[in-house]
Each structure stands twice: as C-alpha cells, then as structure tokens.
Amino acid sequence: MHKITQYLPILSWARTYNRDTATSDIVAAVIVTIMLIPQSLAYALLAGLPAEMGLYASILPLVAYAIFGTSRALSVGPVAVVSLMTVAAIGNLGLTDPAQIALAAITLAFLSGMILLAMGILRLGFLANFLSHPVIAGFITASGLLIAASQLKHIFGVEVHGHTLPQVIGDLWAHLGQTNGFTLALGTAAVAFLFWVRKGLKPLLLSKGLTPRMADVLTKAGPVAAVVATVLVTWAFGLNTQGVKIVGEVPMGLPPLSTPSFDLSLWNQLFLSALLISVIGFVESVSVAQTLAAKKRQRIDPDQELIGLGASNVAATVSGGYPVTGGFARSVVNFDAGAETPAAGAYTAIGIAFAALFLTPLLYFLPNATLAATIIVAVLSLVDFSILKKAWGYSRVDFSAVAATIVLTLGFGVETGVSAGVILSIALHLYKTSRPHVAEVGLVPGTQHFRNIHRHRVDTCPHMVTLRVDESLYFANARFLEDYVLNRVARDHDLHHVVLMFPAVSEVDMSALETLEELNTRLSEMGIAMHLTEVKGPVMDRLKRSHFLDELTGDVFLSQFDAWQKLGPGQQSNPAKGIKQEGVAAQ
C-alpha cells in the first residue's frame, strides 16, 4: 500500500478529505481561476499559439497533477518562461502553417512529459541540483526582460521579429513609425491599470472597509476587469476596424483529443528544447513547491514531482495543450487563498473548462494589447537585478556566472542562455571543488580543538604538520592536494610527520585513492610518515577494501588530538620507512 501511495499521492490525502477542506480548496480554486483565464490566453499568445491552447493547457494537466503531484499548493499550467522557450523552440523549425505549429507544440509537450516521467521513474531529481540558484535567478531575470520586450509589439500594434533583445528592440525601433494609436492607447491604459491593481487596489479596498479576503479576490480579478473593459471599448467603437488586432474567434467547447507527431526527424529537432524546458520547469516548480510546503511544515518528494509534472505534460499532449509547469505567482495565490490539497487544482480545471464551454464567444473582441499588458505586468515581477549585487558582494565567481547568463540570454536567446547556465553551473562546481580548501591547523591551548594557524592563536609542532582537507576527494581535485602537500613539506626540512585530517571528506574516488598512494610513497622516500585522522566510516570502509592502509607509512587515528598526543611535542623520533600501523580507527 505504501508503494502505491508513493506513486499515487492522491490516496494519502483523499482518505482524510472532508467538507471543510473542500470548502477551502473551492474558494482557492475560484480565485486562481479568475487569475488563470486571462493568463492562460496571454501565455498562449506569448508562445505564438492560438489563444484556446492556453485554456486547454489549464484543464487536464491540473487534474493529472492533482493525482500524481505531492505539493498541496502548486498550481500547474502555462507559465511565462516555458512559453518563451516554446516559441523559441518552434521558431527554430521554420514552420508557417498554424496547424503544423500547434502540432509541434503538442509534440514538445509530449517529449517534455516523457523526459520528466523517465527522470522520475529513474529517481534523477538530484540532477536539477547542478543548476545553481544564482544562475537560475539570472536566467529568469533575463527571460522576464526578454518576454516584456517581445510583447511591446502588441502594445504599439506593429510587426516585430526576433528572439534576442537586440533583435527585438532594433526591429521595434525600425517599425515605430507604424504605431497604431488606438492600440497604443489601449495597451498603455491596460498596463497602467494592472500595475495600479497590483500595488494600489487592495489598500484602497481595505480602507473602504472590505474584508481582507474580499479585497484579495477583487485584486486578483484585476486582469479580468481589464479584459472586460477593453473588450467593451473595442466592440463599442469598432476599434478592430481601426487596426486594433483582436483575438478573434476562440473555439467553444472542451479540449479536443489530440496526439503528438511521431515524425522522428521532428523529435530530433525538438529533443534538446524539450530537455531544457523539462529541467527549467522542474527546477522552477520544485523551488516554489518546497518554499510553500515549508510554511506548513509539509514535505514534497522531488522524484515524485517529476512524475507529477510529466503526467501533466502528457495530459496537455492529449488535450491540445503545450508544455506546462508549476507557476510561481499562481501557486502563491493558491496558497494564500487557503488551498489545502491538490484538489484545488482539479477544481480550477473545472472552472477553466466552464470558461472554455461557455465564455469563449465573449473573447472575440479581446485586444492582443490587453493580453500583452497582462504578460508584461506578470513577468516584470520576475526581474530581480538585486541578485547581481548579492553575488558581487558574496562571490565574484558567482557574479560572473549570473552576469554571463543574463548577457547570453538577452544577447543570444533563451536556449543559448539556459544551455550556458547549465554549463556554467557544472563548470563552477568543478572549478570550486577542484581547488579544495586545505587549512594547516594547530591545537588551541587548553582544549582538544584544532584550528587554522592563520586565523587563531594555536600551538604547533616543528616536526609535524597537520592539514585539514575540507572537501571530498575525486579525480578533479586529487592532484591539487598532492601538489599542496608536497609544496608544504619541501620548505620545511625538519618535518617527520604529515597528518591529513579528513573530517569533511565523505568520498574518495579511485583517482583520489591512487593519488593518496602516490603521495604516501613520495613522502616515504623523503623520510616522512603520512597519517590520517577523523576518517568517516564509509570512507574507511572503502579504504579497507584496497591495499592503501597496508602500505600507509603512518597511523590512522580516531581524533586529531590522539595524533597530537602520540606525534606532537616530546615525540621527536624520526619514523622509519614503512612504519607498522598500531591501529586503524574511523568515525
């Protein structure tokens, strides 16, 4: 039963589901539905797809996540960054037929879903850890700017092409003379109104005596109000005949049953994009889910989240949608509105299905400028240049990675940016761990503690040097340690003992083992014994399976203080080569 519950989390919370929980979930669903209807339409526009595909991607995927997901508050659906990556991926195909573009988007969702499912089944959620937070923050900031810039064409009512910031701004500037005044007026008014709604409406409503819950609901309904107002203005004054581009006819009804393309050449073209969308979407979702779960002392399972998101994308595939993931803003709204279980997402799906069935005729006169305004206001909240200041103050290396990710995303496009982010994250990890911190330590007087000789007043011994290794040893850093030790002993001819402290070493791979064996031999030839202290149990278990401990010229001590007592002041003997170990100890 536990195994079934692990893969079907709905069975764990459904057993205790009651009327009070359902009420909380329904209230949250109503608020999220009001927010999601204009957002789903807008993000489909951003992805270069028909508006109805945004609605379709907000129905079955939410139901699938409610069954397979582990977060109680995550709201799945179309999001800005994945929509931007979708339009970039499909743009690389050079398609012009709307039906082929829609099929490519459906296929992209299928590939993303299968990648996520495979990663979940193989429990590869840890791979997302190779994307550092600063790099992700830089990528999202750059994506927010790129998305906002790409929507300016709808605000000005001009044709603009390009997938990089220089291309978009340059093309916009070249066509600025073709600006449609009515479109600009509608778009600017919508942007200004939505910014005011976000910042000023709730305090105004509270000052008028409304309850916090009602004020929150009305604030979240701001985009709906913008949609209604601009639809009425466009319809009443016939602005669509004055050059204002509108959504037009949106098919009424539930999502049609759809299947992906099984053209292997198309799969080959979309695979890298699907992989990047999967990784970025997963990282974004898990970050949000973990943050919200922690507030209620709940936990999520990252590997099961992969399965939940994979199932959601497969559901998008069979219902005419495009790639989806957990959205930050919607999830926070869902959480704040009181969602107790993933059923809130299923109720939201019902609300979106109702809109698809009965409300789509009302969207005919909806200006594209209004949807663009919705996107701009939503994505500018993602832009956070404070990460540059934080990274500069904390680590120049991290700052370089963040800055490079932002510049590459803006200058060369979203796929180049995220690929560079992945490579930079891995390169940074290798760089940092290839030069492990090694400290020469001494005894703090009156204690059994050993600290860095350059940071504390400590006792040392002229014929003994202790080096604390603060990193696991593997192929990339083993040679660094060997060079460090040999450089240290070369300048001190009175040394008889080198002690390597391993309290932070939790792994010694084969390359590092060979390096330790070589180092032991080199020191022995110099008349110096090599000792180990505070070796962790798992590391010692591996060392015992090799010949290293048999050939070690010194001892392995349980604690550094034990080594000090035996080898330190008063113990001036020069060890013979191949000294026999008196004991092997591990922590």
Side-chain angles (χ1 to χ4, degrees), residues 411-579:
F412 295 94
V414 62
E415 290 196 352
T416 300
V418 71
S419 300
V422 172
I423 294 170
L424 280 171
S425 295
I426 296 173
L428 279 175
H429 172 73
L430 292 174
Y431 173 77
K432 290 176 181 178
T433 57
S434 69
R435 301 175 61 83
H437 181 258
V438 180
E440 184 172 340
V441 299
L443 179 66
V444 178
T447 73
Q448 296 184 12
H449 300 294
F450 290 79
R451 294 292 183 267
N452 193 322
I453 64 172
H454 300 297
R455 293 178 176 268
H456 302 270
R457 296 180 62 182
V458 294
D459 294 334
T460 58
C461 177
H463 62 268
M464 167 187 172
V465 63
T466 299
L467 302 174
R468 189 188 68 222
V469 183
D470 294 334
E471 185 72 61
S472 290
L473 298 176
Y474 70 117
F475 65 92
N477 63 17
R479 186 65 62 187
F480 175 88
L481 176 64
E482 181 181 15
D483 292 341
Y484 188 99
V485 173
L486 293 177
N487 288 336
R488 173 63 184 86
V489 301
R491 66 175 188 263
D492 196 337
H493 299 291
D494 295 328
L495 283 179
H496 303 322
H497 303 282
V498 169
V499 181
L500 298 180
M501 279 184 71
F502 276 15
V505 178
S506 55
E507 174 75 17
V508 175
D509 75 356
M510 195 70 182
S511 297
L513 175 63
E514 292 176 358
T515 298
L516 289 176
E517 291 172 342
E518 177 66 21
L519 182 59
N520 181 59
T521 301
R522 296 277 296 275
L523 290 175
S524 177
E525 292 170 352
M526 300 165 66
I528 299 174
M530 188 173 87
H531 309 266
L532 302 180
T533 68
E534 303 186 10
V535 181
K536 293 181 182 295
V539 175
M540 182 59 73
D541 291 341
R542 284 197 172 185
L543 293 180
K544 286 179 178 178
R545 294 200 293 267
S546 71
H547 298 292
F548 174 70
L549 295 178
D550 298 328
E551 298 169 358
L552 184 66
T553 55
D555 293 334
V556 179
F557 296 94
L558 181 64
S559 72
Q560 177 58 32
F561 190 70
D562 291 342
W564 176 268
Q565 287 184 309
K566 180 173 181 180
L567 307 174
Q571 307 296 327
Q572 300 291 334
S573 60
N574 190 353
K577 295 178 183 178
I579 184 172

Side-chain angles (χ1 to χ4, degrees), residues 230-413:
T230 54
V231 164
L232 290 176
V233 169
T234 304
W235 168 74
F237 295 98
L239 296 183
N240 56 309
T241 63
Q242 302 297 319
V244 174
K245 293 185 177 179
I246 58 175
V247 169
E249 184 177 355
V250 178
M252 187 168 60
L254 293 175
L257 184 64
S258 59
T259 57
S261 168
F262 291 98
D263 181 350
L264 294 183
S265 64
L266 180 62
W267 284 26
N268 185 53
Q269 290 175 286
L270 291 177
F271 181 78
L272 178 58
S273 297
L275 178 62
L276 295 176
I277 286 172
S278 301
V279 172
I280 292 297
F282 172 63
V283 171
E284 184 178 352
S285 290
V286 167
S287 298
V288 177
Q290 288 177 333
T291 300
L292 297 179
K295 292 183 178 181
K296 289 191 174 182
R297 297 191 177 185
Q298 297 168 346
R299 296 195 65 217
I300 66 164
D301 179 353
D303 292 314
Q304 183 60 32
E305 283 299 290
L306 283 165
I307 293 176
L309 293 172
S312 296
N313 277 281
V314 172
T317 301
V318 300
S319 59
Y322 70 100
V324 297
T325 192
F328 177 76
R330 283 200 305 276
S331 298
V332 171
V333 168
N334 197 36
F335 179 87
D336 290 341
E340 295 288 343
T341 72
Y347 296 140
T348 300
I350 294 172
I352 300 296
F354 177 85
L357 276 170
F358 303 108
L359 303 182
T360 52
L362 303 177
L363 300 173
Y364 183 89
F365 287 99
L366 176 60
N368 288 347
T370 304
L371 295 179
T374 302
I375 293 171
I376 290 171
V377 173
V379 300
L380 286 181
S381 63
L382 301 175
V383 177
D384 179 19
F385 284 111
S386 67
I387 188 66
L388 289 170
K389 182 179 179 181
K390 293 175 185 175
W392 178 263
Y394 188 75
S395 167
R396 298 292 194 272
V397 174
D398 283 332
F399 171 82
S400 300
V402 174
T405 303
I406 291 175
V407 170
L408 289 171
T409 302
L410 293 177
F412 295 94

Side-chain angles (χ1 to χ4, degrees), residues 193-210:
F193 173 73
L194 291 174
F195 269 120
W196 174 76
V197 165
R198 179 164 289 206
K199 299 291 184 181
L201 180 58
K202 187 173 182 179
L204 176 64
L205 294 175
L206 291 174
S207 69
K208 298 297 183 181
L210 269 71

Side-chain angles (χ1 to χ4, degrees), residues 113-183:
M114 297 309 294
I115 289 170
L116 288 165
L117 285 172
M119 291 175 66
I121 292 170
L122 297 175
R123 307 193 70 79
L124 298 179
F126 70 91
L127 291 177
N129 296 332
F130 286 103
L131 273 173
S132 71
H133 175 71
V135 166
I136 285 292
F139 171 71
I140 290 177
T141 291
S143 296
L145 287 174
L146 201 53
I147 291 168
S150 72
Q151 296 308 296
L152 292 177
K153 63 183 179 183
H154 298 296
I155 301 296
F156 286 89
V158 297
E159 287 292 329
V160 173
H161 302 284
H163 295 297
T164 70
L165 191 62
Q167 289 173 348
V168 170
I169 297 301
D171 212 19
L172 180 64
W173 180 261
H175 293 86
L176 213 53
Q178 302 171 14
T179 299
N180 182 285
F182 294 109
T183 302

